[in-house]
Amino acid sequence: MSQHTFTRRVAATVGAAAAVVVALAGCSTPAAPSAGEENVPGVSDDTVTIGTHTPLTGPAAAGYSSISAAATAYFAYLNDKGGVHGRTIDYLVKDDGYNPATTQTVVRELVQEDEVFAIVNGLGTPTHTAVLEYLTQNEVPDLFVASGSTSWNQPEKFPYTFGFNADYVVEGAALAQYAADEYPDKVVCLLGQDDDFGDEMIEGAQLALGADGLAHVERYSVSNRDVAAQIGALKAAGCEINILGTINGFTALALGTAAKMGWFPMWFSSSSGADYPTLVGYLGEDVGPKLLQGLVGTNYLPSLGGDSDWVSLFRQINDDYNDGAPFDGNTIYGMSVAYLFAEALEAAGENPTRESLVEAVASGGLAGNGILPLSFGEDSHAAYLGVGITAVDQGVQDYVGATYAVDGGTVTSVDPAPVELSGEGVPGS
C-alpha cells in the first residue's frame, strides 16, 4: 500500500486552512503580488520563457519524447496567432534521460541560468520528485506535471505545484471497477512499476476490489528490461485480467513477453502506457495490432480515435508546425498541456507574475479540454479526478462509454462532459 493514501486527500482540505498561518514558511498558496511589481523572471515586453525536463533519450524516450515537440508546435501556432496578451511563448526543452540526477541538473539550469517563468509539464514520477523541493524553495510555478503521482496534489506543502494527469489511484480504481462491472468472474492481477506509480495503481485497484481483490501482484524496475519472471508468475497465478501500471515501453514488453509464452490474457493499462501508435512502434506493425486488439486503457483528453474538434485542430497544427510528425495520443497530450498553460497565462493578466499565474490555476476558473471538469482549486492541485475507459478495436482506440470518478474514497460511474473547442484553440480570442 502506498504511503500516499486517501487519508492525505482528506487531510489536504483541512491542512490548507491551517496553512495560512504559516505562510512565511512557504506552506500556503502564494500571496497576490504588489502593484507595479517588476523584473519578473522569464517575462519581457514581448516574450514569456518557460521550460521543462523530459526524456529525449533513455528508457522512456520512445514513449514520451514526442510530447514536448507537440507542445512546442502548439506554442508556435499560438505565437502566430499573436501569443498571449501580445507576448509569444518560448518553451525550453531539456533532456533528462528519465534520470533523476540529470533532472536536478537541467532544472537548476532552467531556473538559475535561463531564468524561466515556470516549469511546465516536467515528466516522470521519480524524475520530478527529485526537483519538487527545489522548485518550492525557489517559488517557481511548477505546472501540470506529467505524472499521475498524488505527490503533486499537496497544496499545503507544495503550493506552486499542480498535476496534469489523472492520478494513478484514480486510474487503478477505474480500471479495476470496469473489470468488476464487465467481467465479474475473471481473476484480476496487476503488474506495476516499483515506485509511486505502481504503489498507487495498487491502491486504486484495491479501492475498487477490496484489500484482497487482486489475486496476484508483480513489480518491475525500469532499469531491468527483462520481465519474464514477472509475466511467468502472473501466468502461474491464473490471472485473466492484468492491470498495468507501466510506461509504454514496459507495456509492450509485458505483452510481447506473454505472447512468447503463448499466453494471451486481457490487458488493462494506465494512460501512461496505453497509447496505441506508440505501442505498435515498440511491437512492430506485423504483430503489434494483433497483440493490442482489445487493449483496455484510460484517458481524460480528446481521444485519438474520436471525432473531436480538438483532435482535428491538433492534427492540423501537427501538420503545419511539427514537420508532419506521427500523430498519436502523446501529440494530443502535449498540445492539451500547452493549451492549458496558455489559458492560465491569459488568466494571469496583462502583466503576469509568478504569483498571479499560480492564482489563475488555483482559482478553479480554467476549463482545459478534457472529458471531465478540471479539479483545480485552493484546496486541490489535482487536474482530473476521473477518467474514461478506452479500448482498441481493429486499430482504433476510442472511448467505450464507461467513465469513472473517485470522490472521498468511493469509485462512481459518471457522465462525461467534454469541453468544446472555441476560439480556434486560442485562449481569450
Side-chain angles (χ1 to χ4, degrees):
M1 180 65 68
S2 166
Q3 61 179 325
H4 304 296
T5 63
F6 278 94
T7 301
R8 194 185 66 197
R9 289 168 174 252
V10 176
T13 301
V14 177
V20 175
V21 299
V22 290
L24 293 178
C27 297
S28 68
T29 299
S34 59
E37 187 171 351
E38 299 177 353
N39 300 322
V40 179
V43 178
S44 70
D45 289 342
D46 53 13
T47 304
V48 173
T49 301
I50 59 177
T52 196
H53 66 86
T54 196
L56 301 179
T57 58
Y64 301 126
S65 61
S66 59
I67 291 174
S68 57
T72 300
Y74 171 83
F75 287 137
Y77 165 79
L78 178 68
N79 291 343
D80 278 354
K81 294 288 185 179
V84 178
H85 293 305
R87 294 182 180 87
T88 58
I89 297 174
D90 187 11
Y91 193 39
L92 305 183
V93 179
K94 298 210 174 189
D95 179 21
D96 66 4
Y98 207 66
N99 182 322
T102 307
T103 306
Q104 292 178 329
T105 298
V106 301
V107 167
R108 280 172 170 77
E109 289 175 357
L110 288 166
V111 172
Q112 295 170 202
E113 298 176 18
D114 300 310
E115 296 185 326
V116 296
F117 182 48
I119 298 295
V120 178
N121 206 223
L123 191 146
T125 299
T127 47
H128 200 73
T129 298
V131 295
L132 193 55
E133 294 280 359
Y134 171 79
L135 293 173
T136 301
Q137 290 166 2
N138 286 273
E139 301 182 345
V140 179
D142 179 20
L143 304 187
F144 317 140
V145 183
S147 156
S149 172
T150 59
S151 295
W152 328 133
N153 184 21
Q154 298 186 74
E156 74 289 354
K157 186 176 182 181
F158 302 119
Y160 292 86
T161 297
F162 296 80
F164 182 76
N165 300 25
D167 73 48
Y168 300 134
V169 175
V170 169
E171 290 195 310
L175 290 170
Q177 191 63 55
Y178 183 70
D181 290 347
E182 299 297 323
Y183 307 99
D185 298 324
K186 289 192 178 295
V187 178
V188 182
C189 302
L190 186 146
L191 172 66
Q193 198 161 294
D194 61 350
D195 56 17
D196 281 2
F197 185 5
D199 290 344
E200 293 180 356
M201 287 291 292
I202 293 169
E203 184 177 336
Q206 291 177 335
L207 179 67
L209 302 176
D212 300 321
L214 290 171
H216 191 79
V217 172
E218 288 289 326
R219 309 299 292 271
Y220 74 91
S221 169
V222 293
S223 64
N224 183 358
R225 296 194 60 81
D226 183 355
V227 295
Q230 291 92 329
I231 298 301
L234 291 168
K235 180 181 179 183
C239 303
E240 297 173 286
I241 294 175
N242 291 317
I243 296 174
L244 297 174
T246 52
I247 59 177
N248 285 303
F250 280 83
T251 299
L253 188 61
L255 271 65
T257 301
K260 289 180 181 179
M261 295 179 179
W263 185 45
F264 302 96
M266 298 182 70
W267 302 97
F268 284 33
S269 176
S270 156
S271 62
S272 296
D275 183 61
Y276 177 77
T278 301
L279 294 173
V280 170
Y282 274 111
L283 293 166
E285 294 285 351
D286 51 344
V287 300
K290 296 177 182 177
L291 295 183
L292 294 168
Q293 174 64 23
L295 174 72
V296 172
T298 60
N299 197 1
Y300 41 90
L301 298 173
S303 172
L304 178 66
D307 58 358
S308 165
D309 289 340
W310 287 102
V311 174
S312 297
L313 172 65
F314 290 163
R315 282 187 186 277
Q316 190 61 54
I317 293 173
N318 192 62
D319 289 343
D320 295 344
Y321 294 91
N322 201 19
D323 298 324
F327 187 84
D328 57 21
N330 289 328
T331 313
I332 295 172
Y333 180 99
M335 292 190 187
S336 296
V337 169
Y339 170 80
L340 184 59
F341 174 76
E343 189 182 0
L345 185 61
E346 197 275 334
E350 294 187 3
N351 294 298
T353 64
R354 284 174 164 176
E355 290 79 5
S356 70
L357 179 65
V358 169
E359 287 185 347
V361 182
S363 71
L366 303 184
N369 69 334
I371 66 165
L372 291 169
L374 288 164
S375 299
F376 294 134
E378 291 292 338
D379 299 332
S380 173
H381 285 195
Y384 296 101
L385 295 180
V387 293
I389 300 297
T390 66
V392 174
D393 185 22
Q394 302 300 315
V396 177
Q397 188 172 40
D398 201 2
Y399 289 108
V400 300
T403 306
Y404 298 95
V406 175
D407 184 13
T410 302
V411 189
T412 58
S413 178
V414 297
D415 293 325
V419 177
E420 299 296 329
L421 174 68
S422 63
E424 298 183 297
V426 175
S429 63

